[in-house]
Structures are given as C-alpha cells and as structure tokens.
Amino acid sequence: MSAPTKMALRFPKGRFAMLSVYSFTGAAIVASTIFSLLLFLSLDDNPLMQWLFGALAVIFEAGKFYAWYEFGERRAHGNYVGALSALAFYLILALISIGGSIGGINSATNAAQSEQRQAQAQIDAYNRQINAIEQQITLNNQAAERYIELDRIATGVARLQKENNQLRKEQQQLALERDSLPAVAQGSILGLISNLANTLGVSADQAQSWLVIFLSVLLDVFAAFFVGVIGEEQRFRHWYRHPHATPPTPLNTKESSRVNEIDTESTTPSEVPNEDLDSPYADIKAALAAKTLRCSKKAVMAEYALSQEAVDTLFTHLQQQGLVAKKPNHHYHWVG
C-alpha cells in the first residue's frame, strides 16, 4: 500500500488521549462558567435574582459549547446552511461569555490591586504625618532664630527647643510604626501587568484591560477547540465502527474513486470482481500470496480503505477460486 494512503488512515485516539481531552475541556468550561457567574451574580444583591442570573450564566455557557458542537456536526454532514446558523448562535453566546469572563477576571484583578492600594495608603498616611512634623520643626527653628534676634533666648528659644525634642520623638515613633508594617506583596498578576505596561509604554489600567481581554478570548478559543476535537473524534469512531458509512474526512481523489468503484461492484454479490491490472484486487491477491499482507478481512480493509461489503465479496470470490480457506475458528488462511 502506498504511503499517502496509509497516512490518510488513522485509528481512534487512545484512553489517555481522550482522558486528557475531556479533562482540558471540562476545566476550560468550568473556568469560563465561574468567571461568567462572577459577573452575573454581581448584577443584583437579591438572593432570588442572583440565583436566576447564575442559572442564566450556566445556560449561556452550556448553550454556547453545544452550539459549537452542533456547528461541527452539521458541517460534517454537509448542511452548510444549518452550520452557519449554529455558528451565528455560537458567536452571540460567545460574546456574552467573553464579556462575563472579562468582568470576572477584571474583578479578581481589581481585588488584588485594592489590597495593594490599602497597604500603600497606610504607608502614605505615616509619611504625611512625618512630613507634617518635619514642617513644624522647621517653623519652630525659624521662630527660634527670630527670638535670638530679639534677645529672648531664655524664654522663647528654650521652649521651642523643648517642643522640637518632643516632635522628634513623635517623628521617630511614627517612622518605627511605618517600618514595622508588613511588606506589600506584589502578586504574579500585578507583576505581569506592571511589566506589560512598561514594555508597551502604556498605563497600568490599559495593560490590565488588554491582558483581561486576551485571557478571556483565549479561554473561549481553548474550550471551543477541545469541544471540536471531541465532536470530530465521536464522528470518526462512528465511521470506524461502520466502515460502509461515509468517512468524516474524505480521502484523496484517487483513493475515493477506488473505493467508489469497489462499492459499485460489490452491490451485486454474484458479480465477479474485476481482476485487471489497474484493479486493487490484483494487488491484494499478490500481497496475500507473497505473505506481505495478513490474510484477514480487517487487515485488507485497513490497508486498502475498502468497505466491509467489498472485502466480503473479495474473500468469497477467493474462496470460490480455492485460494483462501476458512479455519475452524473462522479465520482465513492463504492456500493458493
């Protein structure tokens, strides 16, 4: 069998691959649903309305991914008008979902920034008090110089020096309290926003907006891709179990014409298969005789992309010619 034909064939994905696909798909759908819930639940404080809005978010998310799955099904069956309607429905729900994800991710990011701003506000409050004391000390020093000019050192200057000493103690105490505050921890997301803002030369708010939009769109695309993978795999498994059905992925033109020719010939069981040099039956007989192909219907069907009916007809004809015999366990062997 030629290499292109072998490449056109594949087998169903294994258990590990499908487990990975279902895990990725489930995680993406759950994450998208949670972010949408964060937005919809914030629309109203009434528990009843929150329950209704939450149910609406779940319905939108489930409907969105089913619409994408339906788009793949209709396209695979050649119903392009129906596929376009399913795609339009998916895009509408995807816009709503992306908006919900943007709101949810933005809310989580704003919460992290709020904690950082509160900690920074405490430090700024201490700095303002320390600066105010420093300004008062400066004014007292200026007044002391004025008292010295008026020769009132004993009365005015001594009082101001005593007041400055008290202010210095208060200033040192405030500085100690400020320095004892826990360090402001910058989360990973805040660090990423800061780096993006510096790299792109934009403000932190703009960098945050672009990052949130990118993550929301990426989440939807990621989930839609794996939903499409599941749909394609289900269609392929159905075709693999029923080889006479139309395959979900067409073969190349040469192989398609060959399959159509064999299927047409197999519609009449009594008809003898064509054994011309251009026919695949001659190649199959040669491969079976040379022992390069296992004498099995499944092996022939997989190697030459034939339908079940065509392979049954072929083996019946080979039995009639005495080239193939069936063992007691119903397996075939070459006797020609």
Side-chain angles (χ1 to χ4, degrees):
M1 193 62 183
S2 61
T5 304
K6 291 182 179 180
M7 293 176 61
L9 299 175
R10 72 174 181 89
F11 297 96
K13 291 181 173 60
R15 181 175 300 177
F16 174 77
M18 291 308 300
L19 180 62
S20 301
V21 170
Y22 279 111
S23 300
F24 295 151
T25 307
I29 292 176
V30 169
S32 180
T33 304
I34 290 176
F35 285 130
S36 296
L37 283 172
L38 291 176
L39 176 66
F40 279 82
L41 293 179
S42 64
L43 296 177
D44 200 298
D45 294 333
N46 189 336
L48 177 60
M49 296 303 298
Q50 285 185 335
W51 189 89
L52 292 176
F53 281 128
L56 186 63
V58 174
I59 291 172
F60 281 163
E61 289 294 328
K64 175 189 67 176
F65 292 113
Y66 184 79
W68 181 254
Y69 178 84
E70 189 65 21
F71 164 72
E73 286 288 319
R74 296 181 180 184
R75 187 186 60 173
H77 289 86
N79 183 9
Y80 297 108
V81 176
L84 287 176
S85 63
L87 179 61
F89 190 58
Y90 165 78
L91 291 176
I92 294 173
L93 294 177
L95 289 176
I96 298 175
S97 175
I98 291 174
S101 297
I102 289 175
I105 298 175
N106 202 37
S107 175
T109 306
N110 288 338
Q113 287 183 332
S114 177
E115 293 180 0
Q116 187 180 34
R117 291 193 185 103
Q118 289 178 0
Q120 187 63 41
Q122 291 181 347
I123 296 177
D124 293 340
Y126 279 106
N127 289 334
R128 285 194 298 270
Q129 293 180 25
I130 292 173
N131 291 334
I133 293 175
E134 187 65 33
Q135 292 176 0
Q136 184 62 41
I137 292 174
T138 302
L139 292 175
N140 289 345
N141 290 334
Q142 293 175 355
E145 292 177 0
R146 182 62 177 168
Y147 280 122
I148 292 173
E149 293 175 359
L150 297 175
D151 295 330
R152 299 177 59 183
I153 298 176
T155 57
V157 175
R159 180 178 58 81
L160 291 175
Q161 288 179 345
K162 183 178 180 180
E163 184 178 346
N164 282 351
N165 290 335
Q166 183 64 30
L167 291 174
R168 287 295 182 188
K169 291 181 180 180
E170 293 180 7
Q171 192 179 48
Q172 292 175 359
Q173 182 64 30
L174 290 172
L176 289 174
E177 293 179 2
R178 179 197 62 188
D179 296 338
S180 64
L181 290 175
V184 180
Q186 187 182 45
S188 300
I189 186 66
L190 299 181
L192 177 59
I193 291 174
S194 178
N195 290 334
L196 283 177
N198 295 332
T199 302
L200 301 177
V202 297
S203 64
D205 291 338
Q206 289 177 325
Q208 176 183 343
S209 299
W210 285 112
L211 177 63
V212 168
I213 293 173
F214 171 75
L215 292 177
S216 301
V217 174
L218 181 64
L219 179 61
D220 252 53
V221 172
F222 184 85
F225 170 78
F226 281 105
V227 169
V229 170
I230 292 175
E232 192 276 336
E233 183 65 19
Q234 293 297 329
R235 290 188 293 272
F236 177 78
R237 284 172 181 256
H238 175 76
W239 170 77
Y240 190 81
R241 296 190 185 100
H242 306 83
H244 60 278
T246 303
T249 304
L251 302 175
N252 54 64
T253 306
K254 180 179 178 181
E255 295 302 324
S256 298
S257 60
R258 179 182 293 181
V259 172
N260 291 336
E261 177 186 355
I262 296 172
D263 287 342
T264 303
E265 294 174 354
S266 63
T267 54
T268 307
S270 61
E271 184 179 353
V272 178
N274 184 12
E275 298 187 17
D276 295 338
L277 294 178
D278 294 335
S279 172
Y281 290 110
D283 296 338
I284 296 173
K285 288 177 60 176
L288 292 175
K291 307 296 184 180
T292 58
L293 177 64
R294 187 163 56 90
C295 189
S296 166
K297 289 184 177 181
K298 184 175 294 185
V300 173
M301 184 170 56
E303 184 73 12
Y304 287 86
L306 300 177
S307 66
Q308 183 69 46
E309 290 82 359
V311 174
D312 291 340
T313 302
L314 170 64
F315 272 78
T316 301
H317 179 58
L318 293 176
Q319 279 186 287
Q320 292 174 354
Q321 292 182 333
L323 300 176
V324 170
K326 184 182 291 187
K327 299 179 181 179
N329 58 1
H330 299 289
H331 289 174
Y332 292 90
H333 65 282
W334 182 263
V335 296

